Amino acid sequence: MIQFLLNQELRSEHALDPNLTVLNYLREHLGKSGTKEGCASGDCGACTVVVGELHTDDQGAEQIRYRSLNSCLTFVSSLHGKQLISVEDLKHQGQLHSVQQAMVECHGSQCGFCTPGFVMSLFALQKNSDAPDSQKAHEALAGNLCRCTGYRPILAAAEQACCNKPQDQFDSRQAETIARLKAIAPTQTGELNSGDKRCLVPLTVADLADLYDAYPQARLLAGGTDLALEVTQFHRTLPVMIYVGNIEEMKRIESFDDRLEIGAATPLSDCYSALNHEYPDFGELLHRFASLQIRNQGTLGGNIGNASPIGDSPPLLIALGAQIVLCKGNTRRTLALEDYFIDYRVTARQDSEFIEKIIVPKGVPLFRAYKVSKRLDDDISAVCAAFNLKITNGVIDDARVAFGGMAATPKRAKNCEAVLNGATWNSATVEKACAALAEDFTPLSDFRASKEYRLLSAQNLLRKYFIELQTPHIETRVTAYV
């Protein structure tokens, strides 16, 4: 059984189909049709809902952390121990919520189909903001698409909603909601079981290891932003899933003198602060990693584990020399991330083995990263590049150059590195290294970019890296080329 709050109503579910998304649960099981399906792939934001969960701040105070999510990519099992808020829950005692009122007064809705999703993103923004901030508003709304309004009135509504925000029913009930969430906090493995399909929800790494050993055919579910597409886009059935999002051990970020250790189930939005502090380029890339709704769900371990050749984080982690800790039963092994990727969607992971955490070295001063995509926000890379050179007295001691989107896996450019290692750091060396990239990669042509464009972009990004290190005042990080 799993338990969660539907606004303030306690829901206990056991026999639901584990492949059921929150979107379809709301619409088909509860008759709440305010949440819309626009794309069923997490691109449009029409299905946005907000999930509240217990959180202890830096001062040790218990709070509710509200996060916007794409309900079309969220399986119901991930609600275990949390609070689900949909657009129907905002109106209170016959009065519109302040974010809804702002949308009305600022003329932020026309056809209205996308409006509930915008309202829920604005609600999460309001809950997480103390004052109007245009940058945060753009970030909060980047995952919501509208065909009608042109966004200006919606941004005006965001400013109004976050300016002198009034207390609402969620504020007045906060203590009560915290108490109710504590009362339903999971204490043992939860389960959804429809007879032919099941999803298990363990609470510890040890329990996960035992369950995965017992069900080696199970699919591991973290954020689900990739896995859920098998259900929503390809109409496949997932007979057995194990949801790892309630394992606190796998959601920790620990900082040591020489490294960061990031639990594999840590949402990307939680990774931002630590990675941005150490490597601003990594932080900038995370700002452009899909949408805020996706970053609130998707995990660093999931972005690695799905072995996509265009995943944004692996090239950066490979260039930094990151490692992963793999767990199987009581056995753990540490593997260089670059050795994890074998071929297209093929990895070095053994049966019943899972990524427990990612180890990211600190202290890499010349690290830079760049993403090439067709638009700035909420888009997949055509090419992603990361560079990490150690240079002493103008000579390159060690070069790590990694790319995504250039091959069947994210990988290092070994021929390029061979040219750079031991050479003088100058434009002539860079041009030789650029030529060597043609030996490292034979990229494919697809709808994102031609093979010629990809190779030339990769070469130009190395040139860009050289220019920026020579003249850091003109630096522009994680640039998009259109």
Side-chain angles (χ1 to χ4, degrees), residues 78-94:
S78 66
L79 298 176
H80 193 29
K82 301 171 185 175
Q83 180 189 30
L84 172 63
I85 303 170
S86 68
V87 69
E88 287 89 351
D89 301 319
L90 298 196
K91 189 176 180 180
H92 184 60
Q93 296 180 345

Side-chain angles (χ1 to χ4, degrees), residues 158-174:
E159 181 178 1
Q160 178 175 316
C162 294
C163 184
N164 300 318
K165 55 184 179 182
Q167 186 180 59
D168 62 14
Q169 68 270 30
F170 300 96
D171 297 323
S172 61
R173 291 175 177 169
Q174 179 169 307

Side-chain angles (χ1 to χ4, degrees), residues 119-427:
V119 165
M120 296 312 295
S121 289
L122 287 176
F123 172 74
L125 172 67
Q126 187 192 69
K127 289 298 176 191
N128 294 303
S129 301
D130 295 324
D133 184 320
S134 61
Q135 182 177 351
K136 287 184 179 179
H138 278 87
E139 180 183 25
L141 298 175
N144 293 81
L145 303 182
C146 178
R147 295 177 181 270
C148 304
T149 65
Y151 301 103
R152 185 200 59 76
I154 300 174
L155 289 169
E159 181 178 1
Q160 178 175 316
C162 294
C163 184
N164 300 318
K165 55 184 179 182
Q167 186 180 59
D168 62 14
Q169 68 270 30
F170 300 96
D171 297 323
S172 61
R173 291 175 177 169
Q174 179 169 307
E176 175 190 351
T177 305
I178 288 174
R180 299 193 71 190
L181 288 173
K182 290 173 70 173
I184 64 169
T187 58
Q188 59 185 9
T189 297
E191 181 176 2
L192 281 180
N193 191 326
S194 62
D196 58 336
K197 296 182 284 294
R198 64 192 309 197
C199 180
L200 299 155
V201 187
L203 303 180
T204 68
V205 169
D207 288 343
L208 168 59
D210 289 343
L211 288 171
Y212 207 16
D213 188 53
Y215 302 97
Q217 79 282 12
R219 304 295 297 274
L220 294 186
L221 169 65
T225 56
D226 188 66
L227 182 63
L229 295 176
E230 295 193 24
V231 174
T232 65
Q233 297 290 300
F234 299 103
H235 306 290
R236 296 171 185 157
T237 297
L238 305 177
V240 184
M241 289 185 284
I242 303 175
Y243 175 60
V244 303
N246 281 23
I247 301 175
E248 290 302 320
E249 299 162 84
M250 291 178 61
K251 296 168 72 175
R252 294 175 184 160
I253 300 176
E254 297 181 280
S255 181
F256 300 90
D257 289 342
D258 61 341
R259 69 194 187 280
L260 293 170
E261 294 190 1
I262 302 175
T266 307
L268 291 164
S269 53
D270 288 351
C271 296
Y272 171 79
S273 180
L275 288 170
N276 181 66
H277 176 76
E278 194 65 33
Y279 301 113
D281 272 39
F282 213 134
E284 288 293 322
L285 181 129
L286 287 179
H287 267 306
R288 292 185 52 207
F289 193 113
S291 64
L292 183 58
Q293 291 99 314
I294 295 294
R295 296 195 296 275
N296 284 338
Q297 287 179 270
T299 64
L300 191 60
N303 195 236
I304 294 168
N306 66 15
S308 169
I310 52 173
D312 279 345
S313 70
L316 281 66
L317 293 168
I318 289 172
L320 287 169
Q323 300 172 304
I324 55 174
V325 175
L326 293 159
C327 179
K328 177 183 171 70
N330 295 321
T331 303
R332 287 174 172 79
R333 64 181 176 126
T334 301
L335 184 70
L337 180 58
E338 63 189 272
D339 296 330
Y340 178 74
F341 303 104
I342 305 299
D343 203 342
Y344 179 73
R345 301 281 188 175
V346 177
T347 71
R349 186 183 66 82
Q350 301 171 3
D351 288 343
S352 298
E353 190 174 45
F354 58 90
I355 302 172
E356 183 179 5
K357 60 184 173 182
I358 301 97
I359 302 172
V360 184
K362 288 183 175 181
V364 180
L366 300 183
F367 173 76
R368 297 292 186 274
Y370 310 97
K371 174 175 177 171
V372 178
S373 57
K374 287 190 174 182
R375 61 177 188 258
L376 186 66
D377 291 314
D378 199 10
D379 200 9
I380 295 171
S381 295
V383 177
C384 187
F387 304 97
N388 170 16
L389 268 60
K390 295 179 182 177
I391 303 173
T392 305
N393 297 323
V395 176
I396 305 164
D397 295 326
D398 185 38
R400 296 183 66 93
V401 177
F403 286 91
M406 296 290 289
T409 65
K411 60 179 287 188
R412 291 174 66 178
K414 293 295 183 70
N415 288 300
C416 174
E417 292 176 353
V419 170
L420 293 171
N421 282 323
T424 302
W425 182 233
N426 56 31
S427 58

